[in-house]
Amino acid sequence: MRGIRNAVVAVIAAIAITAPTGARSAGVEEFYKGRTISLIIGYSVGSGYDIYARLLARFIGKHIPGRPAVVAQNMPGAGSIKAAMYLHGVAPKDGSVIATIGRSAPLEPLLGDAPFDGRSFTWLGSIASNSSLCASWHATPIQTWQDALTKPFALAGEGSGSDPDNFARILKNVFGAKVRLVTGYPGGTEMNLAIERGEVDGRCGWSWDSIKSTRPDWLRDRKISLLAVFSLQKAADIPSEVPLIGDLARSDEQRQILRVLLAGQGLGRPYFTSPGVPEDRKAALRAAFDATMKDPDFLAEIAKARLEVSPTSGEEIDRLLADIYATPREVIEKAKQAVRN
C-alpha cells in the first residue's frame, strides 16, 4: 500500500509540474478574483516608506491574476519590527497580505533579538536602493562631520533595529561621537516635527529620495546640514562634500563592521509576504511586482512625487540575505556590539 501511495503522489506531482502555465495560473486567478490584498506599512503616514507603498498599492493589483484590490494599512512600531512580526506569525500565509518594512529590519535577528529569520519571508522585490544620510537642523551647533565627532547632540530614533537607532549608535560606539538617542518616534513625519520643535538636533537613516520628496524646502533653504552618507554607495546627486561613512573608517575592523551594518541598505524599499505562501502565488506576486516596476503610469506617478525607481527582484533579495546571514559569527558579534546602547 505504501508503494502504491508513493506512486500516486509521484504522478500527482508530475502532473502539477508539467501542467500548462495557464492551468496553474487559473488557480491563482480564482484565488485573487474579488479579493482585497492588505499592504501593511511598517511606518506612519507621510513617511518615505508610506509614500512608496501607497503608490505601489494603486498599481500592482492590475498585474496580479484576478486583479484584486490592494488597500494600504499603516502598522508603525519598533522601527517596523511590529509589522515584520505580524507577517511572520499572525498574517495569513496565503499571499493575501504583503508588507514593507525598514531595509535593515530583516537583519535584526542577526544584530538584535527579533525572533524571526529574514530569509524565511517570501520576498517580492524592492522599488529602489537608496542612500541614507545623517542630517542636522541648521540652528544646532552640529553642522559638519567634525562637529558630530566633537560636540554633544541628540538624534531622533524609531526603535531597536531601525536605521535611525542603529546609525546613531554607530556614531557613538564606532566613531566615539557624543550622541544621545531619543527613540520611539513612529516614523519620519514625527521625527521631522521633533527636529523643528528642537526636541532633537537631527536624524540618521534618512533616505536621500525621501529628503528630496518630503522636505525639498529644507534642502533648498539650507535648513538641514548633511553630515554623512550611511550606505555602501553614494547617490550621484548627493553633494560631493558629504562624506561616505566607509571612507571615514579608521581601521579594517571598522570597515568590516560597517559592511555588515550597512548591508541592509541594498534592500532599499523592500516588499514581501508571509513565509510558506504557495509557490504559484509567490510566482504571481513576484511577476506582478516586476511588471509594476515597468508600468508607465506607475513610473509617471513616481516621477511626479520626486522619487526614484531602481528595482531589485525577489530572487536578488534572497541571494543578498543568504550572503549576509553567512557572515562569520565573530564579525556579527562585533557588529552587534556597535549597535547596542
Side-chain angles (χ1 to χ4, degrees):
M1 287 295 293
R2 180 176 299 175
I4 295 173
R5 185 166 60 247
N6 290 342
V8 171
V9 170
V11 171
I12 293 173
I15 292 173
I17 292 171
T18 58
T21 302
R24 295 201 303 275
S25 63
V28 175
E29 183 173 353
E30 182 179 350
F31 174 79
Y32 283 115
K33 189 173 183 178
R35 186 180 292 269
T36 297
I37 293 178
S38 295
L39 198 172
I40 303 298
I41 305 165
Y43 293 96
S44 56
V45 174
S47 65
Y49 285 95
D50 179 74
I51 295 170
Y52 267 112
R54 290 181 183 278
L55 285 173
L56 182 71
R58 288 172 52 190
F59 295 96
I60 192 172
K62 70 179 181 179
H63 299 290
I64 300 173
R67 298 175 69 93
V70 180
V71 177
Q73 300 175 339
N74 296 86
M75 188 183 289
S80 78
I81 296 297
K82 179 180 178 181
M85 291 303 302
Y86 175 74
L87 267 288
H88 181 262
V90 179
K93 293 177 170 52
D94 59 3
S96 64
V97 180
I98 60 179
T100 183
I101 55 175
R103 60 183 66 86
S104 294
L107 306 184
E108 181 58 12
L110 287 177
L111 302 173
D113 56 3
F116 61 83
D117 187 320
R119 297 169 295 181
S120 69
F121 291 119
T122 304
W123 294 98
L124 307 184
S126 169
I127 294 179
S129 179
N130 305 129
S131 295
S132 292
L133 294 97
C134 280
S136 61
W137 191 238
H138 67 98
T140 77
I142 311 301
Q143 298 300 305
T144 66
W145 174 253
Q146 190 59 33
D147 290 337
L149 293 182
T150 57
K151 300 175 182 178
F153 63 110
L155 291 174
E158 295 170 335
S160 178
S162 67
D163 281 352
D165 293 57
N166 281 351
F167 295 168
R169 290 182 175 123
I170 290 171
L171 284 174
K172 177 183 176 182
N173 297 330
V174 177
F175 292 96
K178 300 174 182 178
V179 173
R180 179 171 62 89
L181 177 62
V182 182
T183 193
Y185 293 100
T189 301
E190 292 79 9
M191 286 193 287
N192 289 343
L193 286 173
I195 291 170
E196 286 186 297
R197 292 169 180 163
E199 297 172 14
V200 293
D201 297 307
R203 58 179 285 199
C204 291
W206 197 359
S207 295
W208 178 235
D209 65 333
S210 183
I211 297 175
K212 292 187 293 182
S213 64
T214 63
R215 291 295 185 274
D217 55 317
W218 285 12
L219 286 173
R220 183 194 64 223
D221 301 335
R222 299 183 180 275
K223 289 189 174 181
I224 53 174
S225 297
L226 307 178
L227 304 177
V229 181
F230 272 73
S231 300
L232 296 176
Q233 297 181 2
K234 181 177 174 180
D237 59 339
I238 293 177
S240 59
E241 65 270 18
V242 184
L244 189 66
I245 195 68
D247 294 339
L248 300 170
R250 297 185 290 259
S251 67
D252 287 341
E253 180 175 280
Q254 283 188 349
R255 279 184 280 275
Q256 276 188 319
I257 291 170
L258 289 172
R259 181 186 175 278
V260 173
L261 295 174
L262 300 179
Q265 299 303 298
L267 296 177
R269 304 287 184 175
Y271 291 81
F272 65 100
T273 185
S274 304
V277 169
E279 285 296 320
D280 55 351
R281 293 176 204 164
K282 170 183 175 179
L285 290 173
R286 281 185 165 182
F289 184 90
D290 293 343
T292 306
M293 297 303 100
K294 301 173 184 176
D295 186 320
D297 295 330
F298 172 74
L299 294 174
E301 289 299 314
I302 284 284
K304 190 184 299 182
R306 293 191 293 268
L307 298 173
E308 64 180 73
V309 173
S310 51
T312 301
S313 70
E315 292 87 346
E316 289 174 302
I317 291 178
D318 285 342
R319 289 193 291 270
L320 175 60
L321 288 176
D323 180 59
I324 297 170
Y325 272 74
T327 301
R329 175 48 55 184
E330 60 271 19
V331 177
I332 293 293
E333 287 301 319
K334 291 177 182 177
K336 287 173 69 172
Q337 293 299 323
V339 291
R340 286 180 179 164
N341 293 333

